[in-house]
């Protein structure tokens, strides 16, 4: 009997091909969307981690409370000693001290008079002797012109400011800011190069400076407002991050000392945590929605198909096959078609995703004004889940469609089914 | 079991609009084993309805219907399916072969339902195709056959399992005279050789000439029941 049914499936193209195409397309979309969202998400996570949040970051407890204001007067101290200890305790994890500060950028003319002035976002980091940090911050990719700073008094500035202020490379600019103790501080720096990250916040007014300069500029001797932490292979895992956070805080955080170090993970960031959750939920919803859509299409095509097949059903009933047996055989057929369609759809979806994984779409045009930290390139990313994610909805939709359509057999009187074939 | 069909005071009504339509009235009928019988009457007189009830595809509204000794009202869907698969063969006006299957597979199908082993099946299918003279077409699909050939396949499919009863609803309606005579002769032979009971519905004079017993229906009533002399 099984062989008999298989022959029917293989020979009756209109019975098999249409549902197969529908399921394949649905599954393809599901797989592709998954890889796409996965790629977008991990692109965003990577970018945000490298520029803004780290996988984890260490700050003082006081700083943590108002972390959005980046209050460098509440910075970590004795940073060199802390770093030595951290490297020993957590081998494999990268620790990168960075300090955010703000102020005015002043461009003098040849007479020393102010030619242009504007505010900036300053980031102090290891620019001079830490190739690893250059990599982490994707600085090489971000460089538009000039070279990386070679000395303490050389800085990088955003290409937007550079053009707005009509600067030239090696021009001298003044930074006007306040020290961590609140007194005014003015220092001159040479523009070594310009950068563009594709992130609105940074591109509007970033100034990158080496950590060695802030002892003088901000009066931050052996201090840093944040220490970025990166997991091995730069691969974020919430579980690992939480684990390290717990052990770190148990050891280093002192509830009585608000300047004691405290570690938080990327997920502790309100926006980022929300984005991650939203993405996961919306992918689930999209998949569910697609599955229902595919099921409805299959239901309809199944109905048409079954009406076309009432003749066959009538004959089979007359020959003495029971309704239940016929119904089950329709459902079994749909399982086979569902699996086959899911395999085809998954392969197609993976093929497209694979292509886009290696040929990312350049979205820098759209991202120039984005406040979301996302890479300039948008690539799909295949993971283990993408191999399976299409199967459940693909097979379920097929079964659901055929079950709904197959109920027609039960609704009709045997003789009635039988008459419909005579027309 | 003497009688294949025994019907007493049977009535069949169909829902029609808001009321009901009585398609068969006061049917009393006995058909014995090995008969070659037909229901004859104008269109709409109830021939198909009566055949469907006898073939357990439909149920009466009132009265008693025994098919091969069983009360059809007492059968579950499954049991009536079983009765059909084991003991009743069907032949339809429009052949109703399964289009994607070959001649051989179409004839084999009733045997699959009976779980008959492959080698036995093959023997039975070939034998049935031999009776209807189609052994040279076993690999053809229905659309490659003429109407007469299709109906012969349908006959082979109906008789392959050697049922006690074959029900044939206007089997010659789509055939020309030559083909009609050919398949009727085949059925007469099967009736003689295998003692298979045949019940027809027809208004075709060619068929009527072959019948041993002619039961006339008009407006849902049996008006005449004649047995041919000789
Ligand atoms: N499912 C149904 N619902 C309502 N009325 C029906 C149904 N089936 C048949 N009838 C009616 O019952 C009557 C008998 O129909 P039946 O099909 O038995 O006629 P018939 O003698 O086989 O006619 P024909 O020679 O045209 O095939 C007809 O008047 C028909 O309209
Ligand atoms: Mg009829």
């Amino acid at each position: 009997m099984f062989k008999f049914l298989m022959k029917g499936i293989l020979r009756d193209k209109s019975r098999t091909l249409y549902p197969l195409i529908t399921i394949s397309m649905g599954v393809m979309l599901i797989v592709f969307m998954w890889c796409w969202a996965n790629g977008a998400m991990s692109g965003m996570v990577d970018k945000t981690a490298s520029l803004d949040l780290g996988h984890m970051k260490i700050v003082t407890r006081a700083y943590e409370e108002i972390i959005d204001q980046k209050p460098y007067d509440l910075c970590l101290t004795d940073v060199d000693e802390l770093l030595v200890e951290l490297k020993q305790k957590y081998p494999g994890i990268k620790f990168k001290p960075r300090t955010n500060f703000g102020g005015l950028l002043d461009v003098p003319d040849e007479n020393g008079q102010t030619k242009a002035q504007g505010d900036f976002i300053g980031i102090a980091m290891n620019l001079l002797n830490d190739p690893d940090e250059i990599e982490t911050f994707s600085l090489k990719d971000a460089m538009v012109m000039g070279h990386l700073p070679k000395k303490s008094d050389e800085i990088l500035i955003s290409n937007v400011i550079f053009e707005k202020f009509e600067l030239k490379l090696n021009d001298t600019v003044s930074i006007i800011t306040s020290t961590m103790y609140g007194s005014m501080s003015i220092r001159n720096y040479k523009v070594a190069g310009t950068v563009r990250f594709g992130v609105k916040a940074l591109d509007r007014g970033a100034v990158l400076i080496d950590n060695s300069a802030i002892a003088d500029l901000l009066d931050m001797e052996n201090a840093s407002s944040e220490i970025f932490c990166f997991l091995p292979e730069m691969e974020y895992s919430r579980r690992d991050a939480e684990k390290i956070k717990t052990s770190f805080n148990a050891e280093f955080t002192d509830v009585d000392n608000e300047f004691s170090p405290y570690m938080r993970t990327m997920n502790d960031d309100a926006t980022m945590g929300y984005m991650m959750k939203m993405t996961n939920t919306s992918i689930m919803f999209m998949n569910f929605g697609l599955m229902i859509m595919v099921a409805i299409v299959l239901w309809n095509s199944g109905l048409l198909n079954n009406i076309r097949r009432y003749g066959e059903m009538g004959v089979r009933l007359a020959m003495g096959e029971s309704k239940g047996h016929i119904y089950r055989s329709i459902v079994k057929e749909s399982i086979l078609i569902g699996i086959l369609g899911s395999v085809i759809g998954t392969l197609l979806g993976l093929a497209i995703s694979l292509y886009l994984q290696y040929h990312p779409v350049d979205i820098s045009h759209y991202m120039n004004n984005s406040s979301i930290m996302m890479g300039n390139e948008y690539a799909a990313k295949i993971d283990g889940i993408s191999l399976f994610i299409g199967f459940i909805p693909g097979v379920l939709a097929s079964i659901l469609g055929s079950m709904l359509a197959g109920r027609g057999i039960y609704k009709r009187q045997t003789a009635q089914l039988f008459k419909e074939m005579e027309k | 079991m003497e009688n294949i069909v025994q019907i007493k005071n049977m009535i069949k009504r169909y829902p029609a609009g808001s009321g009901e339509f009585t398609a068969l009235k006061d049917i009393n009928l006995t058909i014995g084993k090995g008969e070659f019988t037909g229901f004859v009457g104008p269109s709409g007189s109830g021939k198909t309805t009566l055949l469907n009830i006898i073939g357990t595809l439909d149920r009466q509204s009132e009265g008693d219907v025994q098919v091969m000794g069983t009360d059809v009202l007492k059968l579950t869907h499954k049991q009536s399916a079983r009765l059909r698969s084991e003991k009743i063969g069907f032949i339809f006006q429009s052949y109703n072969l399964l289009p994607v299957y070959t001649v051989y597979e179409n004839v084999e199908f009733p045997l699959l339902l009976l779980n008959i082993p492959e080698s036995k099946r093959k023997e039975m299918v070939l034998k049935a195709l031999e009776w209807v003279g189609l052994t040279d077409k076993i690999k053809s699909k229905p659309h490659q056959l003429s109407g007469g050939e299709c109906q012969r396949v349908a006959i082979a499919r109906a008789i392959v399992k050697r049922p006690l009863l074959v029900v044939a609803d206007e089997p010659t309606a789509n055939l020309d005279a030559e083909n009609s005579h050919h398949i009727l002769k085949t059925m007469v032979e099967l009736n003689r050789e295998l003692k298979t009971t045949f019940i027809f519905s027809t208004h075709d004079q060619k068929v009527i000439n072959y019948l041993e017993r002619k039961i006339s229906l008009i407006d849902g009533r049996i008006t005449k029941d004649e047995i041919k002399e000789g």
Side-chain angles (χ1 to χ4, degrees):
Chain A
M1 199 69 205
F2 179 74
K3 236 170 86 187
F4 182 83
L5 291 175
M6 273 311 282
K7 277 181 200 157
I9 291 182
L10 293 178
R11 288 180 200 165
D12 188 353
K13 295 216 166 51
S14 58
R15 176 190 332 171
T16 318
L17 208 60
Y18 185 59
L20 208 58
I21 291 172
T22 315
I23 298 168
S24 303
M25 289 299 128
V27 169
M28 182 189 83
L29 270 177
I30 289 169
V31 171
F32 173 64
M33 262 168 31
W34 172 265
C35 293
W36 188 248
N38 194 26
M41 194 63 207
S42 65
M44 195 176 76
V45 167
D46 289 350
K47 192 90 172 182
T48 310
S50 77
L51 299 182
D52 192 32
L53 294 175
H55 292 151
M56 298 88 77
K57 84 174 34 163
I58 301 168
V59 293
T60 64
R61 282 184 48 235
Y63 187 96
E64 213 273 329
E65 308 246 303
I66 46 171
I67 195 161
D68 290 340
Q69 301 171 22
K70 313 244 176 214
Y72 55 94
D73 52 323
L74 304 175
C75 62
L76 295 157
T77 50
D78 298 326
V79 170
D80 290 342
E81 295 77 1
L82 183 60
L83 284 174
V84 169
E85 200 181 344
L86 286 173
K87 276 171 193 152
Q88 211 172 46
K89 289 218 160 96
Y90 300 100
I93 300 206
K94 289 177 188 168
F95 296 97
K96 304 293 171 198
R98 292 181 196 168
T99 299
N100 279 70
F101 61 101
L104 280 177
L105 193 71
D106 186 280
V107 182
D109 60 14
E110 50 272 27
N111 304 321
Q113 298 296 314
T114 296
K115 187 173 84 180
Q117 208 174 51
D119 52 0
F120 69 90
I121 301 153
I123 303 173
M125 58 201 288
N126 293 336
L127 286 178
L128 294 184
N129 40 31
D130 188 357
D132 211 34
E133 174 72 319
I134 305 290
E135 177 107 358
T136 313
F137 213 77
S138 317
L139 257 183
K140 288 219 169 90
D141 293 337
M143 290 293 294
V144 181
M145 47 180 138
H147 58 82
L148 287 167
K150 297 195 181 79
K151 287 183 286 186
S152 228
D153 66 345
E154 290 185 335
I155 58 169
L156 298 174
I157 72 171
S158 97
N159 206 56
V160 175
I161 305 188
F162 185 83
E163 279 170 4
K164 194 166 80 186
F165 291 174
E166 295 170 351
L167 289 165
K168 294 187 296 295
L169 289 176
N170 291 322
D171 272 359
T172 299
V173 294
S174 307
I175 281 179
I176 306 167
T177 182
S178 61
T179 69
M180 70 176 279
Y181 302 107
S183 45
M184 180 152 132
S185 161
I186 305 175
R187 296 287 183 277
N188 289 337
Y189 295 93
K190 252 169 57 194
V191 178
T194 68
V195 285
R196 179 167 57 215
F197 295 98
V199 176
K200 193 177 172 186
L202 288 179
D203 287 346
R204 219 177 32 201
V207 167
L208 306 188
I209 186 169
D210 186 64
N211 265 331
S212 60
I214 61 173
D216 184 33
L217 178 66
L218 305 177
D219 231 340
M220 280 171 65
E221 184 77 55
N222 195 14
S224 177
S225 55
E226 305 180 347
I227 297 176
F228 280 56
C229 318
F230 296 99
L231 292 169
E233 310 296 326
M234 293 300 283
E235 194 75 50
Y236 183 62
S237 142
R238 184 173 181 180
R239 254 213 354 248
D240 294 353
E242 298 286 354
K243 223 156 59 193
I244 293 168
K245 170 185 162 180
T246 311
S247 92
F248 177 91
N249 288 342
E251 185 171 352
F252 288 89
T253 308
D254 176 357
V255 278
D256 297 324
N257 179 2
E258 63 170 352
F259 289 101
S260 62
Y262 173 85
M263 186 184 278
R264 55 158 20 216
T265 71
M266 207 170 185
N267 281 84
D268 293 334
D269 182 81
T271 323
M272 196 61 195
Y274 178 74
M275 293 278 285
M276 285 182 174
K277 228 170 147 174
M278 276 303 292
T279 313
N280 283 336
T281 335
S282 51
I283 288 176
M284 298 250 290
F285 267 105
M286 280 192 306
N287 278 348
F288 188 73
L290 262 179
M291 182 182 108
I292 297 296
M293 262 159 54
V294 171
I296 289 173
V297 172
L298 289 176
W299 175 18
N300 276 306
S301 68
L303 277 178
L304 288 176
N305 215 354
N306 282 356
I307 288 166
R308 204 174 58 80
R309 287 175 75 192
Y310 278 153
E312 178 197 334
M313 312 266 163
V315 174
R316 284 165 65 174
L317 284 167
M319 299 287 125
E321 203 175 341
S322 69
K323 285 184 174 182
H325 195 270
I326 294 180
Y327 184 72
R328 282 192 297 277
S329 79
I330 293 176
V331 173
K332 275 182 210 159
E333 276 179 23
S334 74
I335 294 175
L336 272 172
I337 290 174
I339 292 174
L340 196 61
S342 300
V343 171
I344 298 173
T346 300
L347 289 177
L348 288 176
L350 288 178
I352 302 177
S353 305
L354 198 66
Y355 180 82
L356 282 169
Q357 187 164 333
Y358 293 105
H359 299 82
V361 180
D362 187 340
I363 50 164
S364 49
H365 282 308
Y366 311 101
M367 280 299 149
N368 272 343
N369 283 316
S370 164
S371 53
I372 308 173
M373 296 237 171
M374 193 127 93
N376 282 337
E377 287 180 335
Y378 193 8
K381 189 176 174 194
I382 294 173
D383 62 357
I385 296 169
S386 48
L387 302 180
F388 306 104
I389 193 158
F391 276 80
I392 299 160
V395 176
L396 273 186
S398 179
I399 295 175
L400 208 69
S402 76
M403 277 168 76
L404 287 170
R407 282 190 341 191
I409 307 171
Y410 284 107
K411 282 209 203 120
R412 283 176 174 71
Q413 288 290 314
T414 307
Q416 195 55 38
L417 265 175
F418 190 63
K419 258 181 198 152
E420 275 171 62
M421 76 194 154
E422 308 209 316
K423 280 163 196 161
Chain B
M1 177 186 20
E2 291 279 300
N3 296 325
I4 294 288
V5 180
Q6 186 153 25
I7 299 175
K8 281 185 196 149
N9 305 324
M10 190 263 274
I11 296 176
K12 172 67 182 177
R13 292 185 203 96
Y14 286 117
S18 54
E20 279 182 331
F21 173 78
T22 309
L24 293 171
K25 299 156 201 160
D26 293 328
I27 304 291
N28 285 284
L29 180 66
T30 304
I31 297 174
K33 187 168 177 351
E35 282 196 26
F36 203 79
T37 305
F39 301 130
V40 180
S43 183
S45 57
K47 304 181 296 290
T48 298
T49 305
L50 187 50
L51 272 188
N52 281 347
I53 291 172
I54 292 171
T56 75
L57 291 172
D58 208 345
R59 292 184 176 206
Q60 74 271 29
S61 312
E62 266 176 49
D64 184 47
V65 176
Q66 307 254 345
V67 177
M68 289 173 254
T70 26
D71 182 348
V72 295
L73 285 186
K74 292 210 176 103
L75 295 172
T76 63
H77 276 299
K78 232 181 164 159
Q79 286 165 331
S80 69
R82 193 170 182 84
L83 180 74
R84 288 197 296 276
S85 79
E86 287 174 350
K87 296 179 178 160
I88 307 175
F90 286 88
I91 300 169
F92 312 103
Q93 176 184 335
S94 45
Y95 327 135
N96 285 310
L97 301 177
L98 302 175
V100 296
Y101 295 99
T102 63
V103 166
Y104 183 93
E105 286 159 352
N106 265 284
V107 178
E108 187 188 25
F109 179 70
L111 303 179
L112 288 170
L113 291 174
L114 291 169
N115 289 318
I116 291 172
E118 164 119 45
S119 58
K120 178 89 177 137
R121 275 202 316 260
K122 185 163 185 185
E123 194 192 311
M124 293 170 83
V125 171
L126 291 177
K127 183 74 194 161
L129 287 170
E130 204 176 293
W131 279 326
V132 298
L134 274 178
T135 38
D136 53 334
K137 301 266 172 163
I138 54 173
K139 290 222 171 75
S140 305
K141 298 262 176 69
H143 66 90
Q144 298 164 322
L145 302 177
S146 73
E149 285 168 332
C150 282
Q151 197 58 302
R152 274 145 70 192
V153 176
I155 294 171
R157 182 176 66 181
I159 50 120
V160 67
K161 62 194 179 192
R162 313 277 178 95
L164 283 170
L165 169 65
V166 169
V167 170
D169 194 359
E170 313 208 24
T172 57
N174 289 328
L175 299 181
D176 60 21
E178 195 185 329
N179 270 305
S180 297
H181 285 298
H182 187 108
I183 69 144
L184 281 159
K185 275 183 197 142
T186 312
M187 290 195 272
V188 169
E189 270 167 44
L190 288 164
N191 171 253
R192 295 209 177 119
E193 264 185 55
L194 304 174
K195 299 282 169 280
T196 309
T197 308
F198 279 82
I199 306 177
F200 294 86
S201 103
T202 190
H203 41 221
D204 179 355
Q205 193 53 46
K206 296 186 290 294
V207 179
I208 297 170
N209 289 338
Y210 280 85
L211 296 178
E212 289 170 3
R213 178 181 174 192
K214 183 175 117 183
I215 299 165
S216 304
L217 280 175
I218 293 175
D219 266 351
R221 269 179 222 280
I222 297 179
T223 53
K224 253 194 266 176
D225 189 344
E226 304 154 281
I227 296 177
K228 203 163 156 186
E229 306 295 316

